[in-house]
Amino acid sequence: SGSAMWSFDNSIIDTASVNIDLKNFLSTESYTLNLNISNPQKYNFSNNDFIKNLFFSADIKIGAMPSSRFFTNQTVDNNINAEITALGILDNPAISLSFHNSSFLFNSTPLKFNGQLLLEDGSILLNGFRMNYGDSLIQNTVCSINLKDFTGEFFGEYTFMLL
């Protein structure tokens, strides 16, 4: 199901929104998109700055998407659960990508992960990422990368279980 709405003010688009909700009735797989766009400067479509000055906010939720869409030899337990949130203007958006209880098989071993990736003001930030693969665990991560000069730092804890 879904909907789309828009409003014009003197032949100039003021706001627009799109809402889409998709569910697989044979499984728990689902997708949701909520997108809102506004034109606070009231630019006309023909203005070269129209696209650059649109303000947007978007929220995309992915529930139980089978990992088999991207990788072969996956089980029904291997799913991607994620949320993408974005807002701002196209030239400088703030984007958050969060994974929740996601997994896929890598060399027949489950790789499970959770965490959040942020793109903000020309930097990538990774907070609280946790990854479990076989007897290895990476957790309590903090990472920042400056995209202007490609400098950054990464901290985290790595644990390996010996049998």
Side-chain angles (χ1 to χ4, degrees):
S1 67
S3 65
M5 296 187 304
W6 57 91
S7 68
F8 285 86
D9 184 11
N10 294 323
S11 299
I12 296 174
I13 192 159
D14 186 38
T15 61
S17 65
V18 174
N19 299 298
I20 299 172
D21 191 13
L22 304 171
K23 291 189 183 341
N24 182 341
F25 294 108
L26 301 175
S27 70
T28 58
E29 182 178 7
S30 65
Y31 303 89
T32 303
L33 166 68
N34 295 306
L35 173 65
N36 297 294
I37 298 171
S38 66
N39 182 9
Q41 302 298 324
K42 306 292 186 214
Y43 283 111
N44 196 322
F45 286 120
S46 61
N47 189 312
N48 290 339
D49 292 330
F50 175 74
I51 293 291
K52 291 192 297 186
N53 288 286
L54 285 179
F55 182 83
F56 74 96
S57 65
D59 186 43
I60 301 169
K61 293 181 182 171
I62 299 167
M65 180 174 60
S67 295
S68 60
R69 296 257 166 89
F70 305 102
F71 307 105
T72 58
N73 303 320
Q74 301 296 304
T75 69
V76 294
D77 296 328
N78 300 121
N79 294 306
I80 305 295
N81 297 289
E83 183 170 355
I84 303 165
T85 303
L87 61 96
I89 58 173
L90 293 178
D91 285 347
N92 189 24
I95 301 171
S96 169
L97 172 59
S98 299
F99 290 99
H100 313 283
N101 301 320
S102 297
S103 70
F104 62 89
L105 288 180
F106 182 72
N107 287 337
S108 301
T109 302
L111 189 147
K112 300 176 183 180
F113 55 99
N114 298 297
Q116 182 180 42
L117 178 74
L118 300 169
L119 171 63
E120 192 172 61
D121 295 326
S123 294
I124 295 176
L125 306 169
L126 183 69
N127 292 317
F129 197 79
R130 178 184 170 96
M131 183 174 66
N132 187 343
Y133 178 70
D135 293 329
S136 296
L137 173 65
I138 298 174
Q139 63 184 350
N140 298 324
T141 59
V142 177
C143 175
S144 69
I145 300 169
N146 183 321
L147 295 176
K148 292 179 180 113
D149 59 11
F150 293 102
T151 59
E153 56 189 12
F154 176 83
F155 301 97
E157 296 174 9
Y158 174 75
T159 305
F160 182 78
M161 302 293 253
L162 294 174
L163 299 177

